[in-house]
Amino acid sequence: MTGQVVRLSGVRARGHHGVFEHERRDGQDFVVDLVAHLPVGAGAGDDIGATLHYGQAAEALVATVEGEPVDLLETLAERLLDAVQALPGGDRCRRLEVTVHKPQAPITVPFADVSVTAVRERELPAVVALGANLGDPAGTLASAVAALAVLPGVRLTGLSPLVETDPVGGVEQPVYLNAVALVRTTRGAADLLAALHGIEAAPRV
């Protein structure tokens, strides 16, 4: 995955989250870490509006921890993700990771820390053009589509019928079979293209 990463660690706030009455009554400290994966060019133009403002992110994390109590760290982690994603620039993040620590958790044995990490990835649409005219074109395209469907970070959402097209220019050659695949992906453009080149170069059996 290409791009930029913003890390914000050790944001501390007092909240009243937990399943026990004394946790809701007395409250305790929570510590939050944030990792935000931004696309390539997030800092282009030296404009803070093109990236995630980590000061605003820290304030949003604190406000969420200090907000409405919940029973579970898992629920709190999802709310923290919602808060960051709602910020200016938050919707541009390709991947958000929030870890919420509960260092004073009511555990009856010695422990260093307990935490929950929640991850949210943003899918973007992409169109993949497919074509072959050597050997068994239909089989080649079927194999390529099968490989595309299991590519990590890629979800196949649509596939056109096969269409015959005549080659244009160059040496005399067989007609092409072409198709178009629609996908949604969490991979960046360059990363996706490299993976597609890998499928293209793989030997066919």
Side-chain angles (χ1 to χ4, degrees):
M1 179 182 292
T2 57
Q4 301 179 11
V5 180
V6 173
R7 289 185 173 87
L8 182 61
S9 302
V11 176
R12 185 175 296 269
R14 193 161 186 85
H16 294 259
H17 312 287
V19 297
F20 295 113
E21 188 275 334
H22 68 86
E23 293 182 290
R24 293 297 184 98
R25 181 189 67 239
D26 302 332
Q28 59 192 295
D29 290 338
F30 293 82
V31 181
V32 181
D33 303 323
L34 170 69
V35 181
H37 295 256
L38 294 159
V40 174
D46 203 28
D47 178 11
I48 197 169
T51 184
L52 179 68
H53 190 313
Y54 48 77
Q56 292 179 353
E59 292 171 357
L61 295 174
V62 168
T64 303
V65 172
E66 293 178 343
E68 181 185 358
V70 297
D71 288 346
L72 301 178
L73 282 180
E74 290 85 349
T75 305
L76 179 57
E78 289 296 330
R79 290 189 176 184
L80 291 164
L81 284 175
D82 290 339
V84 175
Q85 202 163 35
L87 293 172
D91 60 345
R92 300 185 71 241
C93 296
R94 288 165 40 198
R95 177 184 172 97
L96 288 172
E97 304 172 32
V98 163
T99 300
V100 55
H101 305 262
K102 193 175 182 180
Q104 299 160 344
I107 297 175
T108 59
V109 298
F111 73 102
D113 187 26
V114 61
S115 67
V116 168
T117 299
V119 178
R120 188 174 296 173
E121 294 186 313
R122 182 170 67 118
E123 288 187 328
L124 294 175
V127 178
V128 180
L130 304 159
N133 74 334
L134 299 177
D136 175 14
T140 296
L141 294 184
S143 176
V145 170
L148 178 63
V150 297
L151 198 61
V154 175
R155 183 165 57 91
L156 182 65
T157 60
L159 183 65
S160 74
L162 294 177
V163 176
E164 284 192 357
T165 57
D166 293 326
V168 177
V171 299
E172 185 175 346
Q173 55 184 309
V175 296
Y176 278 87
L177 282 183
N178 293 101
V180 171
L182 302 179
V183 303
R184 295 191 68 83
T185 180
T186 58
R187 304 174 80 132
D191 187 26
L192 177 61
L193 182 60
L196 295 175
H197 285 164
I199 292 175
E200 184 179 30
R204 304 294 168 207
V205 294

